[in-house]
Amino acid sequence: MVLLGPPGAGKGTQSKRIMERYGIPQISTGDLLREHVSRGTELGVVAKSIMARGELVSDDLVCNMVRQRLMQPDCKRGYILDGFPRTAAQAGWLDALLEDELFDNSCPTKAWPIVIRLVVDYNQLLLRITGRRSCPTCGRIYNVHFQPPRFDEVCDEAHGTKLVARNDDRLEVIQPRLTAFEEQTRPVAEYYRQTGRLRSVNGDQPVDEVTAEIIKIIEDHQA
Ligand code: AMP
């Protein structure tokens, strides 16, 4: 499954729920890149400044990283791609990879990914992104506008741990990230619309309702 949507649309939250329900991994290219940055790998060193400016890492580097991840055995039964593809070139590359390397050619039907686009109002996105905080100890995610901790900026569970904002969730970086999304990711939706695979879900609804709609699309697809 491919989950499309701008930063703050809820891709991470929804992927985690789908992952738990179907027992398939969530592959977030943003998370994989942040891991490379924190490990200081060759890719991480290149990606760090690009990510800090809110721009997109080059297709070559990201596709290579995704290919390595999709070859892992836990992806055999399926996976959720979160934050990938983000350009039309990445979408075309993914189809070619599936066709050339990942589809089981003995199987008569090809399991093209279900593509779901989360559509969210722009002002809502800004509030979601600027309010996003996480606990560096337990990983719990908060939003200071919608799901604040009991005490200001401190985790409810990992006692006394101060919540942190992502480096690229600062207001001055959000605008370029949303612009990059507009310019480069819209053609991805168009790519999938043309191949008849695009399904849109209203991401302004409460989280549970968004999940229910996504599950219905998956189950209809399987039926
Ligand atoms: P995210 O966590 O998905 O918002 O991604 C954080 C940052 O990682 C983005 O602003 C980009 O700099 C980079 N990134 C994540 N996924 C991709 C991708 N598919 N292609 C290019 N850059 C990406």
Side-chain angles (χ1 to χ4, degrees):
M1 174 175 144
V2 169
L3 204 48
L4 299 177
K11 300 189 297 292
T13 305
Q14 294 301 332
S15 310
K16 288 203 170 60
R17 291 173 162 216
I18 303 302
M19 172 177 85
E20 277 157 23
R21 184 178 172 103
Y22 294 102
I24 55 175
Q26 172 214 17
I27 299 171
S28 153
T29 43
D31 285 350
L32 289 176
L33 286 166
R34 278 185 285 279
E35 210 179 292
H36 276 277
V37 171
S38 69
R39 289 196 347 248
T41 65
E42 207 176 315
L43 167 58
V45 171
V46 176
K48 188 175 180 178
S49 56
I50 300 172
M51 292 170 75
R53 290 195 301 273
E55 294 164 10
L56 291 183
V57 176
S58 77
D59 288 341
D60 269 9
L61 293 177
V62 175
C63 290
N64 195 24
M65 179 184 79
V66 169
R67 182 176 178 281
Q68 283 176 16
R69 181 64 189 88
L70 295 185
M71 295 293 172
Q72 302 297 313
D74 63 332
C75 291
K76 277 244 175 304
R77 288 185 53 249
Y79 41 84
I80 306 160
L81 283 171
D82 162 8
F84 185 92
R86 250 191 174 82
T87 64
Q90 291 177 8
W93 174 89
L94 178 63
D95 277 354
L97 179 79
L98 292 168
E99 188 86 73
D100 297 343
E101 297 188 45
L102 295 178
F103 281 151
D104 174 0
N105 287 327
S106 61
C107 181
T109 52
K110 292 178 176 171
W112 292 107
I114 305 172
V115 183
I116 294 181
R117 178 175 59 165
L118 296 175
V119 182
V120 182
D121 171 76
Y122 184 82
N123 289 325
Q124 180 74 9
L125 280 180
L126 286 184
L127 284 174
R128 286 190 191 180
I129 303 174
T130 54
R132 187 151 65 180
R133 301 284 186 279
S134 67
C135 171
T137 305
C138 72
R140 186 167 161 186
I141 310 265
Y142 296 85
N143 186 294
V144 295
H145 306 299
F146 308 118
Q147 289 163 304
R150 277 197 299 276
F151 299 103
D152 206 22
E153 304 280 345
V154 174
C155 182
D156 292 348
E157 281 162 30
H159 301 292
T161 306
K162 185 145 174 42
L163 301 180
V164 292
R166 259 169 53 175
N167 193 32
D168 57 357
D169 277 349
R170 289 168 292 126
L171 201 55
E172 65 272 27
V173 184
I174 292 167
Q175 191 59 48
R177 283 174 72 203
L178 290 175
T179 306
F181 170 77
E182 280 299 316
E183 285 173 1
Q184 301 195 275
T185 310
R186 269 181 193 272
V188 176
E190 199 42 47
Y191 176 93
Y192 287 122
R193 196 195 328 274
Q194 280 170 10
T195 50
R197 283 185 265 163
L198 184 71
R199 304 294 306 267
S200 293
V201 169
N202 173 6
D204 282 328
Q205 304 176 89
V207 183
D208 287 347
E209 285 172 37
V210 176
T211 311
E213 230 179 274
I214 293 175
I215 288 171
K216 180 156 187 331
I217 292 174
I218 296 172
E219 316 247 293
D220 286 352
H221 182 85
Q222 285 175 332

